[in-house]
Amino acid sequence: MQMTSVTRYVLVAGEASGDILGANLIAHLKALQPDAVFEGIGGPLMEAQGLKSLVPMDRLSVMGLVEVLGRLRELLGIRKRLYVSCLQNPPTAFIGIDSPDFNMPLARKLKQAGIPTVHYVSPSVWAWRQKRIFNIKKSVDLMLALFPFELPIYHQHDIPVVCVGHTLADDIPFENDAVTARKALGLEGIQGPVFAILPGSREGEVARLAPLFIEAMKLIKHKESEATFLIPAANAERRLQIEAMLQEANAEAILIDGQSRTVMMAADAILLASGTAALEAMLVKRPMVVSYRVNALTYAIMKRMVKVPYVSLPNLLANEALVPELLQDAATPDNLAARLLQTWRSFIGDKAIQAKYLDLHKMLRKNAGAQAAQAIVSMLNKETK
């Protein structure tokens, strides 16, 4: 297939963490290829770097096996539109950013059509559904992995792979100051412990987790009367959703628009939904409790399929239980409150865990966006020779 003479990338990110990675990647691709253009699906950060997004990114933001079914027709329709668009006007490369259940089938068809394909963020083939590696080999010309422990399975199956580290590890300093973060948020006068509460960015996960987190806040308040709770709202819709829940529960918290990293830096400890936020909490060196709940059927299915003992990135990276994980039925307000207080009180004196946080941070700091962009350009240059 003859490619367009204009360097044009189609990128697809399905959630906020992918938007961060995608924006950083676009910035570095532009540095290498100033005339490149970018289309696909992304969030506000990717759009700010020049991406023309065909549909709002949140249309792809859905978690869980059962939850996807209600949106399946829409998701398939979006994917078909992208496929047809790429066939009609072939891009220089297609870059799927995470969201493998959406991106991999599209990448496979595009690769079959002769379009170079890249996937940024390795699917968890090392954790569950290991046979996916065979489909990945048919779908991608280059895998960009975030973590060193992901490389062996790709080497074993002769799939081109580069470990680029994580852009969050590049952006976040090794040391940071809670006082400075509180000042940035206009919260200099706070007395007593500060807890960051992050129930997620999707409507569904906030609906499941925020009521539990809010009840845990109330229990903590009984034991620590001067405690302050900060909740970053991912967008205006989540702010309204959380405000309504706080009012119904007769609970108090300071809601902050966005700025989740600054909120985490301002905190003494963090209660959060499992996901990239746990990695970010580790990188800002704060004690945390990780929690999650999904549809009961989704959990039952996934529990039988997952082959690793942890779900949070800090624990997976360390290969040990660095941070508490309270999942599904264990995620009760009593458990959440007790573990958060315990973790907060013990972390200050636990120099070993603090040192492990720092070691993991150093391991992941590789200038991810620049490495990813260079790997893509190098792959394309090889293909054109």
Side-chain angles (χ1 to χ4, degrees), residues 24 31 49 57 59 67 75 91 117 119 142 157 170 185 219 229 243 255 262 288 308 330 343 346 353 375 380 384:
N24 191 256
Q49 287 293 337
M57 185 183 70
R59 301 316 302 161
E67 292 81 352
L75 292 169
T117 61
H119 193 79
L142 174 65
H157 291 274
D170 300 324
L185 296 172
L219 293 171
F229 302 96
E243 281 178 340
L255 276 176
T262 306
M288 74 188 87
V308 292
T343 302
S346 64
I353 286 185
L380 294 171
T384 57

Side-chain angles (χ1 to χ4, degrees), residues 143-262:
M143 176 64 68
L144 300 174
L146 306 186
F147 308 116
F149 63 79
E150 298 177 306
L151 299 184
I153 192 169
Y154 291 100
H155 292 154
Q156 180 184 344
H157 291 274
D158 296 320
I159 299 171
V161 62
V162 175
C163 179
V164 300
H166 203 296
T167 183
L168 289 175
D170 300 324
D171 294 343
I172 296 172
F174 289 136
E175 296 182 6
N176 57 80
D177 179 27
V179 174
T180 302
R182 292 177 192 181
K183 185 175 181 180
L185 296 172
L187 303 172
E188 303 99 314
I190 286 181
Q191 301 295 320
V194 176
F195 298 98
I197 310 296
L198 288 83
S201 59
R202 303 181 184 89
E203 180 181 3
E205 64 186 358
V206 171
R208 285 188 296 270
L209 293 177
L212 300 171
F213 287 10
I214 290 169
E215 289 303 313
M217 286 164 40
K218 292 167 69 175
L219 293 171
I220 291 171
K221 190 73 172 178
H222 283 306
K223 296 187 176 182
E224 295 287 340
S225 60
E226 293 197 352
T228 297
F229 302 96
L230 309 179
I231 305 180
N235 51 48
E237 291 79 11
R238 296 296 77 74
R239 183 184 180 101
L240 290 172
Q241 186 183 11
I242 295 167
E243 281 178 340
M245 291 177 175
L246 288 168
Q247 186 173 1
E248 183 177 350
N250 193 27
E252 291 187 3
I254 298 173
L255 276 176
I256 295 169
D257 294 322
Q259 302 184 79
S260 60
R261 184 186 306 169
T262 306

Side-chain angles (χ1 to χ4, degrees), residues 224-335:
E224 295 287 340
S225 60
E226 293 197 352
T228 297
F229 302 96
L230 309 179
I231 305 180
N235 51 48
E237 291 79 11
R238 296 296 77 74
R239 183 184 180 101
L240 290 172
Q241 186 183 11
I242 295 167
E243 281 178 340
M245 291 177 175
L246 288 168
Q247 186 173 1
E248 183 177 350
N250 193 27
E252 291 187 3
I254 298 173
L255 276 176
I256 295 169
D257 294 322
Q259 302 184 79
S260 60
R261 184 186 306 169
T262 306
V263 168
M264 285 193 272
M265 288 180 174
D268 295 300
I270 304 167
L271 173 61
L272 72 164
S274 179
T276 304
L279 176 66
E280 197 163 7
M282 183 201 80
L283 294 171
V284 301
K285 319 299 187 302
R286 297 295 185 270
M288 74 188 87
V289 171
V290 174
S291 182
Y292 213 77
R293 273 195 177 186
V294 293
N295 174 282
L297 179 58
T298 296
Y299 185 76
I301 294 170
M302 295 185 71
K303 188 175 181 181
R304 296 172 70 91
M305 298 174 72
V306 171
K307 306 297 183 185
V308 292
Y310 310 114
V311 301
S312 67
L313 283 169
N315 290 347
L316 288 167
L317 286 163
N319 196 29
E320 63 174 294
L322 278 188
V323 306
E325 298 179 352
L326 295 176
L327 311 175
Q328 209 65 5
D329 293 341
T332 66
D334 284 335
N335 288 346

Side-chain angles (χ1 to χ4, degrees), residues 328-345:
Q328 209 65 5
D329 293 341
T332 66
D334 284 335
N335 288 346
L336 294 169
R339 291 304 297 274
L340 188 61
L341 286 171
Q342 178 189 23
T343 302
W344 160 55
R345 289 167 180 155

Side-chain angles (χ1 to χ4, degrees), residues 9-10 17 98 133 138 150 213 225 233 330 345 350 365 369 377:
Y9 293 102
V10 171
S17 58
D98 211 353
I133 194 69
K138 295 175 182 176
E150 298 177 306
F213 287 10
S225 60
R345 289 167 180 155
D350 196 334
R365 182 177 279 193
V377 172

